[in-house]
Amino acid sequence: MCGIVGILGKGAVASHVVDCLHRLEYRGYDSAGIATLENGHLEVCRAEGKLRNLEIKLSRHPLNGRSGIGHTRWATHGKPLERNAHPHATRRVAVVHNGIIENFRELKQGLLDLGVSFISDTDTEVVAQLVDRELLAGHAPAEAVAHVLPRLRGAFALAFLFDGQDDLMIAARRGSPLAIGYGEGEMFLGSDAIALGPLTNRIAYLEEGDWAVMTRAGVEIRNEDGVIVERAVQIVPAGALLVDRGNHRHFMAKEIYEQPEVIGHTLGHYLDLSSDTVNLPELPFDVKGVRHISITACGTALYAGAVAEYWIERFARIPVSIDIASEFRYRETPLADDGITIVISQSGETADTLASLRYAKACGQKVVAIVNVPTSTIAREADAVLPTLAGPEIGVASTKAFTCQLATLACLAVALGRANGTLSADDEQRLVHELMETPRLMSEALKLGPQIEILSRTLAKARDVLYLGRGPAYPLALEGALKLKEISYIHAEGYAAGELKHGPIALVDETMPVVVIAPHDHIFEKTVSNMEEVAARGGQIILVTDPKGAQAAHVDAVQKLIVPEMAATICPMVYAIPVQLIAYHTAVIMGTDVDQPRNLAKSVTV
Ligand code: F6R
């Protein structure tokens, strides 16, 4: 949540700071601000709402400083008003912050007792005031920050700019990521490398507890014990820094249509087509000895895990328990000695997923992370990483990251089955061939776009939508409902089709669209019975199925979205496409902000 940028530049930096903030807008977009040094003095410009509003303000009152920090906010403490927008500044220091200062109330009270007054409702202003008092007491900026950091509790990333110090910026990381960018006679700071894409591809990541004193000549990084440390400078490949919509109106559309390609990359990473086997990297535990698997994640990543539960139990016959990370981390669940934990995260920074990883490790478990951002905290802290090769996902609603998580989990499930002796070499070969069909079938499913666009005109009028599925299509029903809710703001619920009669059927009437996800498999007939129950109550059914399912579904009032017939294993990935397109087109018709839906942020680090 929240994006941070800092530049010590050669010329005026304001427009570059704003460009970088645009690349971080996916992290939060309810207000934004920038501070620069104008003739050596701090000047701040902030605006409520999207970055566009800040740009309008800056066009009226340009800032020309060569040093600047900027921020795009997802509100935690205090409403998204201008006075709560970052940077928070005193006469001596300006600060931008991502994360939460957990003990800010007691720190604030201490400052109030000393007669300090506050303008905002934020935790961040407390940091500005604490540093200000240190500066007032005569400490140099680095000393001032060094005195304040140990007093802060919580997870945060901070960047400071100081009045009268044109060649100085200080950054600190505890829990929230920060990347330092190297230029020629310029230095940069960002919440991630993507933010700095147009400026540099030479990046060093601060590690937990690090803080950095930056000048145009370079950076001095100290760890939390105050010892000077080196952090390797990496060259980030250009592709990883690319952020554009291509020919699409929204990032989400681009990311949906990119899926055949990125699924191909991800599968290509794990499948060895010369031997028709799955090749995982060396894992730091004996795969044969795994008797239990706990999966934990949040949101869409959790639903990818829920699909994997079916695969792992079927292929490897290993019992799986799946848990929401924000529950898992606090439940103190006992973890089996002969078990492993799998965490799944696109960003690799989700606070609850990270805390779950740490809990599992503290219990002595090996943790495998399925992550899209290879430099993320979760990737660094896990015992083993299985990367998803989806590339940067900018649309706040996760699409290609989800299907790449599924592809990776399918490969893992096959590898576990093979190691456990529950899949034969022939089974593995067959599954590898089936998986390799996924990109082609996804391309076919994308052809449903125009039909779904028309259908979405009806959906856009609905107040509530129900999604039903059985087996692996059940988590997909949950994912469909989540996607529709988050970008179109239409209330939606996902249910296991067999649960319909245990309550939700009471909601069904002629105003209620019911999306049924049902490949023609061994439980298809059961789902047809559920559709009949819906039809009998006037519900409008939208059936996502294959040609055989379409023929076999003799139910009234059914609209059909037909994908090609395919092996059961790959259905969740291919059926995800119509599910995503339904949400996308409905949101477009509703006129919502598809890529940046209200109240959400891409990376939930608090
Ligand atoms: C929904 C969505 C969220 C994320 C969740 C976890 O479209 O994007 O539900 O899936 O916040 O995020 P990551 O995968 O970054 O841990």
Side-chain angles (χ1 to χ4, degrees):
M1 307 300 201
C2 303
I4 289 181
V5 171
I7 303 181
L8 294 173
K10 289 179 183 160
V13 295
S15 63
H16 298 300
V17 171
V18 172
D19 280 353
C20 295
L21 288 177
H22 271 297
R23 299 166 74 90
L24 286 177
E25 239 187 329
Y26 72 88
R27 299 177 73 91
Y29 35 79
D30 61 36
S31 57
I34 172 171
T36 55
L37 283 180
E38 301 294 304
N39 303 318
H41 294 299
L42 283 170
E43 285 272 342
V44 175
C45 178
R46 304 182 295 185
E48 230 172 277
K50 293 282 172 67
L51 262 174
R52 185 77 204 109
N53 299 344
L54 179 69
E55 285 175 300
I56 293 168
K57 267 192 151 178
L58 283 169
S59 67
R60 291 187 193 132
H61 308 283
L63 293 176
N64 299 307
R66 298 189 316 142
S67 326
I69 53 177
H71 188 267
T72 176
R73 179 169 189 247
W74 186 83
T76 56
H77 293 81
K79 290 190 176 150
L81 307 173
E82 186 177 325
R83 69 185 166 84
N84 289 329
H86 300 212
H88 291 280
T90 67
R91 215 165 50 71
R92 280 163 281 274
V93 62
V95 60
V96 287
H97 164 216
N98 169 31
I100 289 184
I101 310 295
E102 283 167 4
N103 58 335
F104 91 98
R105 280 196 183 78
E106 80 194 52
L107 294 170
K108 186 169 181 174
Q109 192 53 54
L111 289 162
L112 287 168
D113 294 345
L114 293 170
V116 174
S117 54
F118 286 84
I119 298 160
S120 77
D121 313 314
T122 65
D123 49 347
T124 312
E125 196 182 359
V126 171
V127 182
Q129 290 293 352
L130 287 172
V131 173
D132 186 76
R133 291 196 69 78
E134 294 288 330
L135 295 168
L136 201 58
H139 296 297
E143 234 182 333
V145 172
H147 289 172
V148 169
L149 290 177
R151 299 181 62 190
L152 308 178
R153 279 207 315 269
F156 52 78
L158 294 161
F160 300 91
L161 203 60
F162 300 89
D163 198 78
Q165 303 279 345
D166 181 57
D167 193 20
L168 177 68
M169 184 178 300
I170 297 184
R173 178 209 158 125
R174 201 189 296 157
S176 302
L178 270 184
I180 297 204
Y182 291 75
E184 297 300 329
E186 300 179 293
M187 287 296 284
F188 313 106
L189 179 74
S191 291
D192 62 27
I194 292 177
L196 306 179
L199 304 173
T200 184
N201 63 350
R202 289 194 293 142
I203 299 289
Y205 290 93
L206 291 188
E207 293 197 359
E208 210 39 32
D210 283 356
W211 62 285
V213 177
M214 299 166 64
T215 65
R216 286 179 181 78
V219 57
E220 188 174 82
I221 304 176
R222 289 173 192 273
N223 67 14
E224 59 191 332
D225 301 323
V227 178
I228 295 182
V229 287
E230 292 288 325
R231 299 295 175 219
V233 181
Q234 313 168 14
I235 307 294
V236 182
L241 301 175
L242 274 181
V243 177
D244 77 79
R245 282 192 291 267
N247 294 327
H248 295 276
R249 192 169 151 196
H250 298 104
F251 279 109
M252 184 178 177
K254 176 185 169 234
E255 288 160 3
I256 290 174
Y257 280 86
E258 245 168 35
Q259 288 178 105
E261 190 186 334
V262 293
I263 286 288
H265 292 160
T266 303
L267 288 170
H269 188 73
Y270 295 110
L271 301 183
D272 181 344
L273 295 184
S274 61
S275 58
D276 289 330
T277 53
V278 174
N279 269 352
L280 294 186
E282 194 75 22
L283 294 174
F285 51 85
D286 178 11
V287 180
K288 280 189 193 144
V290 175
R291 291 285 161 268
H292 189 270
I293 293 180
S294 308
I295 300 182
T296 182
C298 300
T300 291
L302 179 79
Y303 299 146
V307 172
E309 180 180 17
Y310 290 85
W311 287 332
I312 295 172
E313 293 193 347
R314 196 165 98 228
F315 298 157
R317 308 301 303 153
I318 300 173
V320 174
S321 42
I322 172 130
D323 214 340
I324 298 166
S326 55
E327 292 298 319
F328 181 86
R329 65 177 288 194
Y330 295 116
R331 219 178 64 228
E332 297 184 4
T333 179
L335 296 175
D337 290 342
D338 50 2
I340 59 161
T341 294
I342 299 175
V343 298
I344 309 166
S345 175
Q346 188 285 127
S347 61
E349 301 294 345
T350 301
D352 287 319
T353 311
L354 177 59
S356 299
L357 174 156
R358 289 178 179 157
Y359 172 77
K361 280 184 84 170
C363 294
Q365 288 229 320
K366 294 291 182 203
V367 177
V368 178
I370 293 177
V371 189
N372 198 39
V373 180
T375 50
S376 61
T377 314
I378 288 179
R380 280 205 302 268
E381 293 195 15
D383 296 298
V385 177
L386 299 181
T388 50
L389 305 185
E393 190 181 64
I394 304 298
V396 163
S398 188
T399 52
K400 62 176 182 167
F402 172 66
T403 46
C404 286
Q405 286 159 355
L406 289 176
T408 307
L409 286 158
C411 293
L412 175 62
V414 175
L416 288 169
R418 190 73 182 99
N420 245 2
T422 46
L423 288 181
S424 66
D426 285 352
D427 292 332
E428 182 177 15
Q429 186 186 56
R430 175 182 48 81
L431 286 162
V432 168
H433 287 178
E434 288 174 5
L435 284 166
M436 281 315 291
E437 286 293 295
T438 318
R440 180 182 68 77
L441 290 160
M442 283 181 132
S443 299
E444 289 295 316
L446 283 167
K447 294 182 185 156
L448 287 169
Q451 190 191 345
I452 293 177
E453 197 175 344
I454 294 167
L455 177 95
S456 298
R457 291 181 203 152
T458 319
L459 276 177
K461 294 184 193 131
R463 205 191 58 178
D464 310 283
V465 178
L466 209 55
Y467 284 74
L468 301 177
R470 282 177 183 264
Y474 162 45
L476 205 52
L478 296 171
E479 169 62 1
L482 173 64
K483 216 89 302 173
L484 189 72
K485 278 189 271 223
E486 67 180 333
I487 60 169
S488 74
Y489 317 145
I490 294 174
H491 171 244
E493 295 288 341
Y495 265 94
E499 273 290 288
L500 183 70
K501 51 185 163 296
H502 300 289
I505 198 160
L507 295 170
V508 175
D509 62 17
E510 48 293 330
T511 66
M512 168 79 98
V514 180
V515 179
V516 181
I517 305 162
H520 189 263
D521 55 15
H522 65 290
I523 38 179
F524 182 77
E525 277 309 314
K526 303 262 174 221
T527 312
V528 171
S529 310
N530 302 129
M531 284 195 287
E532 270 160 4
E533 290 154 16
V534 171
R537 284 148 188 94
Q540 316 155 33
I541 298 164
I542 297 161
L543 173 63
V544 190
T545 188
D546 51 31
K548 276 192 187 152
Q551 217 181 14
H554 302 294
V555 180
D556 290 341
V558 182
Q559 294 215 48
K560 292 169 188 164
L561 294 172
I562 303 173
V563 296
E565 213 176 307
M566 69 197 76
T569 305
I570 63 175
C571 284
M573 287 169 278
V574 179
Y575 280 65
I577 299 250
V579 163
Q580 294 164 351
L581 286 172
I582 287 173
Y584 173 73
H585 285 296
T586 308
V588 170
I589 289 163
M590 300 287 286
T592 60
D593 193 340
V594 172
D595 284 332
Q596 297 179 346
R598 69 185 181 203
N599 303 340
L600 296 179
K602 182 94 188 134
S603 180
V604 187
T605 56
V606 290

